[in-house]
Each structure stands twice: as structure tokens, then as C-alpha cells.
Amino acid sequence: MADATQAAGLPELLAARPALSMHARDGLCFEGVPLNAIADAHGTPVWVYGAGSIRARYAALTTALEAQKLNVHVHYAVKANDHLAVLNIFRHLGAGADVVSLGEFLRTQRAGIAAADVVYSGVGKAPVELAEALGAGIGQINVESAEELEMISAIAGRMGCTAKVVLRMNPDVDAGTHEKITTGLAGNKFGIAAQDIPALYARAASLPGVEPVGIALHIGSQILSPAPYAEAYAKAAAMVRALRTAGLAVSVLDLGGGLGIGYGDEPGMPLAAFAATVRREVGALGVRLLLEPGRYLVGPAGMLLSSVILEKQAGDKRFIVLDAAMNDLMRPALYEAWHGILPLGAAQLQNPVSPADIVGPVCETADCFAKDRPMPPMAPGARVAILDAGAYGAVMSSSYNARPRAAAVLVDGGHFHLITPRQSIAQLWEDEAVPA
């Protein structure tokens, strides 16, 4: 957990987030709504998402692309946050979706996103999943292997339909991100080696039930510089030209996602520079461009509210124990991820700070949100917001230690709405059975 690399203090964290404001009476507010009011109404831990923040980030991304005269169709990566309320926002914005499971695909259908606007990615699509998606008229399947291509051909042939497929090329590019979220290196499980693409694309063109329409790539997540994209997109452009030289039709280039955000007070991916990179490397190919962002769109638009159970002093070590835990927000335990943490009380921002480990009650040493984080005194019942948790937060949560899943609230237009009720303890076992 790389706290030492993050210099942002509490005032800097607040100043770097326009959707947050601190009011003397109401405390920390998000999109104009007091977060204490949400916690009072629905308890803690509770997820809070901001519809206005999602819309603003989508607009910033599409505006940057349009400024480069690029026509890029955005397919939101559902794995970042699959809540129906979130998917509904993207549907109204005109976005498509990128899914990696049948469950995610059916969620997009429930949210009203047209199947033709959905891309099916993922290294292990089961036959039953492919058949369901093809039967619904899915727009594109990103093929990860020769074996999968043959399977799709057989399924589509039996169903009497044609699957539009793109081949996911592994460009062997180091995205410079955490090893657990890199996807474009030769040693990763994702994609097809570049040298194997031409022969496999030609094979796809000859198979019944499939129509190869292009190339896809995705090099990782939380990427903060356009440089890895420039390298990967240059390789993709070269591949498109090589396929066309071989007489093969290429009309789609799926650029993947992975645009990073700032978790402290540092900036995220510079959108203007990223869009310029896309324009320079692939803008003249005459293909339909797809982009699959997730974290960039929803990460800063969400947070996890939690209450302090107690402060614990162990020798010279200070612990702040929260009612949220690693079963709610897994990222710090899984990726050593850093999240900003702000008190909800206005007075606490003025109080002196001292280092504290901020931890949860789960019986794992890894149940730790922050180490040696400068924090003011936090009495039992005081509340905090764990910031930038709108992506890979609730979707990765569990009921470990028999802890019910947290509620979720959507803030929109100055009001807040419960979009997921808190799971009750009894619901943890209501579907279980004990043999006689």
C-alpha cells in the first residue's frame, strides 16, 4: 500500500475534487448533497455514486475525442460498476457496453442497452454464454484464441446466424501499471500473439458462421500516460495494414480501455494528449473506432462512507477501526491500492493530524485501507468517505466473515435515492439448505 508515494493531505484531497465541498454546518457534501444525511438515512457502510459526475466525465472524454475530429463509439466497461442505475445513465448518454460474462450481458439488456451496441470480451466465454449472446443479436465478440474462434463458428453454424468477430491482439506492450492489472504483455493470459493474427484472421474469413471485421487490443488498467497506447496503437495500425495487404477486410479497431485516474491530488490520464495519440496512430485507417473505458468514467464518481467503531492504540501504533472492511472494498488488500480518505465533519479538517492505520474489522491482516495516514482524532461514530471507489468497489465485494453487503445510493440533481438496500444478516443464509 504505497502511502509514502502519495503526498496529498486532507485539504489537497478535497480541493482536487470539484464535486466535493465542505460546509461548516453540513460537513462534507457530494454534488451538493450532505453525505452525513445519506449516512443518517441509510447507515454505514454505504456506497454513494454521483450521476452528475458520471455525466461530466463522459462529456469530457467524448469532447476530447471530438476535438481531434475522431468518431469513437464509447462502450462502457461494465465490470467497473455494473449497477443497473449506472448502466441506465450510460444508456441515456448513448454509450454502448463492454461485457465479460453472461451476467454482465444480461444486465445491459435489463438496463435497455441494445444488444447490437454490446461488445463481448473475456478470455473464457462458455458455449452457453456465447449461444445466449448470439441469440440476442450481440454486436461484436472479441476472440481471444484460435480455439475460441472454432467454438464460435460451430455454435453460430448450429444456430444459423453469423457472429461478427474481432481478433484480440496481444501487442506485448508494458503499460507500466500494477502487475495484477496488466493485460497486454506476452506472458498474460489475454489475446492472441501478434505473429499469429494474420493466419488466424484468414482462417476466420473461411469459417462458416463468423465474419471477421477487425482487430482489438487492451493493454491494462489504470494507465496514466499516453505513451503505452502510442506503442500499442502503432502495432495495431501496422497489423490492419498488413491484413488489408493480404486482401482481408478490416473495418473495426477496438482500442480497449484502461484510462487511469488520480487517486491522490495528482491528475489522471490527460485526455487531450490521449485523443491526440489516437488521432496520430490510427486516425487515418478508415475504420470504426471503439473505446472501452470503465474506471475513468465511474471511479471518481463513487465513494464508500464508513463510521469509526473505535480508535485503538497499540504501543506507538494508532489504529482507526471502521465498520467498512475488505469485503466491501477489496482493492487495497488485492492491489495495494491507495484511496484518499476524508472525514465528513468540517471541524476535523482544522484539527491536528497524526499517522494512523485505517483498518476494518475483518479477521485478516490485509483488511487495511491505509497505513500511516495523517488523520485527526476520530471518535467512535465519526464518519469518513473513502474516495474514488466508484470502480471495482461494490462489484468486487463479498459477504466474507458473514458481513452483509452494503447499501448503495445514487445522488442526482441535489437529491439522493436508495438504489440497493442493505442486505440483512438473515439474507446471508436464506438460500442455503442443510441435508437431513
Side-chain angles (χ1 to χ4, degrees):
M1 201 173 304
D3 280 24
T5 67
Q6 306 286 340
L10 301 182
E12 290 78 17
L13 288 172
L14 179 60
R17 289 158 177 80
L20 290 177
S21 57
M22 184 65 82
H23 294 187
R25 182 187 63 189
D26 294 331
L28 190 64
C29 296
F30 181 46
E31 295 189 8
V33 173
L35 292 170
N36 273 317
I38 294 175
D40 289 343
H42 299 294
T44 58
V46 58
W47 299 98
V48 181
Y49 307 123
S53 297
I54 293 173
R55 296 184 189 112
R57 296 188 71 81
Y58 184 87
L61 176 59
T62 54
T63 298
L65 294 167
E66 290 165 1
Q68 292 291 328
K69 296 181 171 54
L70 291 166
N71 183 16
V72 181
H73 195 211
V74 173
H75 289 253
Y76 167 65
V78 174
K79 64 180 180 288
N81 186 324
D82 66 4
H83 202 288
L84 290 175
V86 171
L87 298 180
N88 184 60
I89 293 170
F90 285 112
R91 176 177 67 85
H92 281 287
L93 289 171
D98 168 62
V99 304
V100 294
S101 72
L102 178 58
E104 286 188 354
F105 174 67
L106 294 179
R107 274 186 171 271
T108 67
Q109 302 306 280
R110 179 74 174 179
I113 297 174
D117 288 331
V118 179
V119 172
Y120 203 144
S121 304
V123 71
K125 311 174 193 73
V128 65
E129 295 180 300
L130 289 167
E132 180 90 18
L134 287 169
I138 195 161
Q140 176 179 307
I141 299 175
N142 289 1
V143 175
E144 298 261 357
S145 65
E147 294 82 359
E148 183 179 68
L149 177 63
E150 300 291 336
M151 182 168 62
I152 294 170
S153 173
I155 294 169
R158 288 196 299 270
M159 295 177 65
C161 64
T162 299
K164 288 188 176 182
V165 301
V166 305
L167 302 191
R168 177 172 174 177
M169 181 179 78
N170 185 321
D172 196 18
V173 169
D174 186 352
T177 188
H178 193 285
E179 64 177 7
K180 291 183 179 179
I181 53 176
T182 188
T183 61
L185 289 170
N188 298 142
K189 69 178 181 179
F190 301 98
I192 302 159
Q195 64 267 23
D196 297 334
I197 291 286
L200 191 59
Y201 202 99
R203 169 66 176 162
S206 70
L207 283 174
V210 296
E211 178 190 355
V213 295
I215 297 296
L217 72 165
H218 180 74
I219 59 174
S221 188
Q222 185 51 11
I223 302 169
L224 296 171
S225 166
Y229 289 112
E231 183 181 355
Y233 294 166
K235 291 185 177 182
M239 182 61 69
V240 169
R241 296 184 185 104
L243 293 173
R244 286 173 170 170
T245 298
L248 298 165
V250 182
S251 59
V252 173
L253 179 56
D254 187 333
L255 300 170
L259 303 176
I261 64 174
Y263 280 97
D265 61 347
E266 75 281 10
M269 171 65 71
L271 292 183
F274 171 77
T277 298
V278 174
R279 175 74 177 180
R280 183 181 66 249
E281 301 298 341
V282 301
L285 288 176
V287 292
R288 181 172 186 256
L289 295 174
L290 278 60
L291 188 65
E292 299 164 355
R295 182 198 314 266
Y296 194 89
L297 296 174
V298 296
M303 64 190 67
L304 179 62
L305 304 187
S306 182
S307 297
V308 174
I309 296 175
L310 53 82
E311 280 207 26
K312 172 183 175 179
Q313 195 71 34
D316 61 354
K317 193 72 174 176
R318 176 188 174 211
F319 295 92
I320 299 173
V321 185
L322 304 180
D323 64 357
M326 64 184 288
N327 73 291
D328 299 301
L329 180 59
M330 187 70 169
R331 295 188 69 254
L334 187 62
Y335 302 131
E336 299 82 42
W338 196 98
H339 284 268
I341 301 175
L342 282 175
L344 265 57
Q348 290 162 323
L349 277 187
Q350 312 303 320
N351 291 336
V353 299
S354 61
D357 285 10
I358 303 174
V359 301
V362 159
C363 287
E364 299 280 353
T365 303
D367 185 25
C368 180
F369 295 114
K371 288 184 177 295
D372 297 322
R373 188 71 62 85
M375 291 291 288
M378 300 294 290
R383 293 163 175 161
V384 299
I386 303 175
L387 305 177
D388 306 308
Y392 307 108
V395 286
M396 297 176 71
S397 63
S398 73
S399 57
Y400 183 48
N401 276 194
R403 290 172 49 84
R405 293 177 186 266
V409 166
L410 181 71
V411 173
D412 196 3
H415 303 280
F416 62 89
H417 313 270
L418 182 68
I419 56 174
T420 299
R422 186 175 309 282
Q423 188 180 31
S424 70
I425 290 178
Q427 286 174 321
L428 292 172
W429 57 75
E430 68 180 3
D431 295 327
E432 298 180 20
V434 179

